[in-house]
Amino acid sequence: MTEKLLQLIDKSYHLTEKQAEGFSYAKVGPMKFTIRSFYAEGLGCVSLMKGSAMFGLMKMDTLIVNPFEKDMPLFSYDRIHAMGNDTLLLELYDTRIQRGPLSGNLKKITAEYSSIADEPAASAWYDDIKLSESLKKKGKKASTPALDELTERYFDEYVKLCIDAPACDIEAKKKAASVYTEGLLNNGGPSTDQFVKAKGREYTQEMFRKYLFGTGV
């Protein structure tokens, strides 16, 4: 699925991969991660992190789009396959300079998949910037094709919204977007905490700022 998402971006915003020197591979507890980072010309930072454990019985994919040249929210895709379950998170965080209602058909698309159970999301420090278009769904293996379809349609709509969104000052947008990056580093989160524990705070800070979110040098 992540390759399809990268292809969807590349159709409108040419992707250039940058070398994540020293950060392209990480072992965090039982999980082994590979990390790739790109710049989407005319859009911003795109990153992909893939993890696996237990001889592939648990898999986790994360794809992040952090727009710096368009005044759009940060997009985060998380997919977890474990213990026969398929969990999907499609999240938008309001890192825009000019905030307001988000246009488009994201909620309409999501409503078409109401047969797949919504999974309650735990309350966290970022609740005030997490947009209502975000979702979390959990199903069994039989739900995977529908969750794939939902992901592709949702992301395609997000990319279209990026195309129509106003251009913005890159440095001002990076400053606005860094609120989320620094919030994760300061307040923590399930993945953030595991990286800090296994690799240390300095490693995690550099990886997040330079490669995952692109908000720092």
Side-chain angles (χ1 to χ4, degrees):
M1 175 51 62
T2 53
E3 289 304 317
K4 281 188 177 181
L5 300 185
L6 289 176
Q7 289 170 11
L8 280 172
I9 301 173
D10 198 41
K11 285 180 181 179
S12 300
Y13 301 101
H14 178 65
L15 289 172
T16 301
E17 187 164 4
K18 56 183 180 181
Q19 295 300 314
E21 296 181 8
F23 296 88
S24 59
Y25 171 82
K27 189 173 187 303
V28 179
M31 297 289 291
K32 296 177 181 179
F33 290 97
T34 58
I35 298 157
R36 300 173 70 192
S37 185
F38 308 82
Y39 199 87
E41 186 177 344
L43 183 61
C45 180
V46 176
S47 62
L48 173 62
M49 183 166 65
K50 301 176 75 70
S52 65
M54 298 186 293
F55 304 101
L57 294 176
M58 180 177 180
K59 295 181 179 180
M60 175 179 163
D61 291 343
T62 297
L63 186 138
I64 297 164
V65 180
N66 208 2
F68 300 140
E69 299 186 49
K70 291 284 190 169
D71 201 14
M72 276 290 289
L74 180 150
F75 168 88
S76 177
Y77 161 85
D78 285 291
R79 195 72 173 271
I80 304 166
H81 294 273
M83 307 299 289
N85 294 314
D86 186 352
T87 303
L88 168 67
L89 290 90
L90 297 172
E91 297 173 317
L92 296 175
Y93 294 95
D94 204 348
T95 56
R96 290 175 292 178
I97 298 170
Q98 299 293 329
R99 296 186 182 182
L102 191 65
S103 60
N105 298 312
L106 292 175
K107 286 186 176 180
K108 182 180 179 182
I109 292 169
T110 301
E112 296 179 28
Y113 298 85
S114 59
S115 60
I116 305 174
D118 291 312
E119 185 79 357
S123 181
W125 64 268
Y126 46 68
D127 286 349
D128 62 334
I129 62 169
K130 186 177 177 181
L131 295 176
S132 60
E133 287 83 0
S134 302
L135 64 88
K136 183 179 182 181
K137 288 185 175 289
K138 185 176 182 179
K140 296 295 185 179
K141 190 174 181 180
S143 301
T144 294
L147 291 174
D148 285 347
E149 182 181 86
L150 167 57
T151 299
E152 191 168 350
R153 290 182 63 195
Y154 186 105
F155 190 66
D156 185 59
E157 177 68 9
Y158 173 79
V159 173
K160 288 176 180 176
L161 290 175
C162 287
I163 293 170
D164 293 336
C168 59
D169 178 78
I170 294 175
E171 292 308 314
K173 188 59 165 59
K174 281 189 177 184
K175 184 177 180 180
S178 69
V179 170
Y180 181 72
T181 309
E182 298 307 308
L184 281 176
L185 292 170
N186 293 326
N187 298 294
S191 179
T192 307
D193 294 343
Q194 291 300 313
F195 267 93
V196 171
K197 181 179 179 180
K199 308 295 289 184
R201 181 160 295 279
E202 287 188 10
Y203 175 99
T204 306
Q205 288 174 340
E206 186 172 357
M207 185 185 77
F208 275 39
R209 292 168 179 161
K210 289 181 69 172
Y211 302 110
L212 278 188
F213 297 99
T215 50
V217 178

